Amino acid sequence: MKKLLVLVTFIGMAAVIGAIVVGKYTFDGTVADNPYEKGLLWDAEQKERESSGWKVDIQPPSPTVGRNELHIHVRDRAGKTITAQVMLTVSRPSSKQYDRQYTALLTEKGSSAVQVDLPLYGYWDLDIRVTAEGKSILFHKTVYAEKGT
């Protein structure tokens, strides 16, 4: 019985130490810079998004690891396509290491297209800055990059 207790304690301690080591090497320590100001800014952006009536859609909704061509569609309340300048910031929720900015190009159909590199599978945050009709509005989307086949 004592040997079993010692073994279970040893396994538990090894798991805790392993979690600490992995956490130390994968987390850059930043949760949010200036969280109060970011909260106020988020509220203002949310009100601006709602009052504009604009909607942003990304195709494909589930990209894969590696190079992806994303199509960004901006529509008004009535569902009509809005011709807009689109800037895209791609980042990982857990680290700033992979943050990248892209400028989307306008396509013939009125949407915007951009080549994006997603080096790791998992969740990615997309901040989409849409500028049109004298307004510049920031939209947030989260996508999951599937492992390539």
Side-chain angles (χ1 to χ4, degrees):
M1 183 67 174
K2 280 187 176 182
K3 288 182 181 182
L4 180 62
L5 185 58
V6 170
L7 179 64
V8 169
T9 302
F10 179 74
I11 291 172
M13 292 296 289
V16 170
I17 291 170
I20 291 170
V21 169
V22 168
K24 183 177 183 334
Y25 289 107
T26 59
F27 180 59
D28 66 8
T30 303
V31 175
D33 298 327
N34 305 317
Y36 180 73
E37 289 80 8
K38 279 193 174 185
L40 293 176
L41 182 61
W42 187 88
D43 286 343
E45 289 171 350
Q46 183 71 16
K47 288 178 185 174
E48 190 175 24
R49 277 190 296 275
E50 288 174 2
S51 68
S52 74
W54 295 357
K55 302 287 183 216
V56 171
D57 182 39
I58 304 233
Q59 296 297 327
S62 296
T64 58
V65 171
R67 202 85 163 132
N68 292 272
E69 182 169 320
L70 299 180
H71 291 271
I72 302 167
H73 305 276
V74 183
R75 294 184 174 87
D76 63 11
R77 278 190 204 333
K80 182 182 169 197
T81 299
I82 297 173
T83 303
Q85 178 184 4
V86 177
M87 299 288 294
L88 178 69
T89 302
V90 177
S91 61
R92 293 282 284 187
S94 60
S95 173
K96 294 181 180 182
Q97 179 181 0
Y98 298 103
D99 290 7
R100 303 285 185 272
Q101 289 190 334
Y102 301 93
T103 301
L105 301 174
L106 198 60
T107 67
E108 294 173 1
K109 297 177 183 176
S111 67
S112 298
V114 62
Q115 293 285 328
V116 174
D117 185 39
L118 303 175
L120 301 171
Y121 76 93
Y123 288 102
W124 290 85
D125 291 332
L126 307 179
D127 289 338
I128 306 151
R129 169 81 51 196
V130 177
T131 305
E133 302 174 3
K135 296 185 243 180
S136 184
I137 300 176
L138 185 63
F139 293 86
H140 306 282
K141 298 281 184 184
T142 300
V143 296
Y144 186 86
E146 303 282 347
K147 290 183 182 180
T149 54

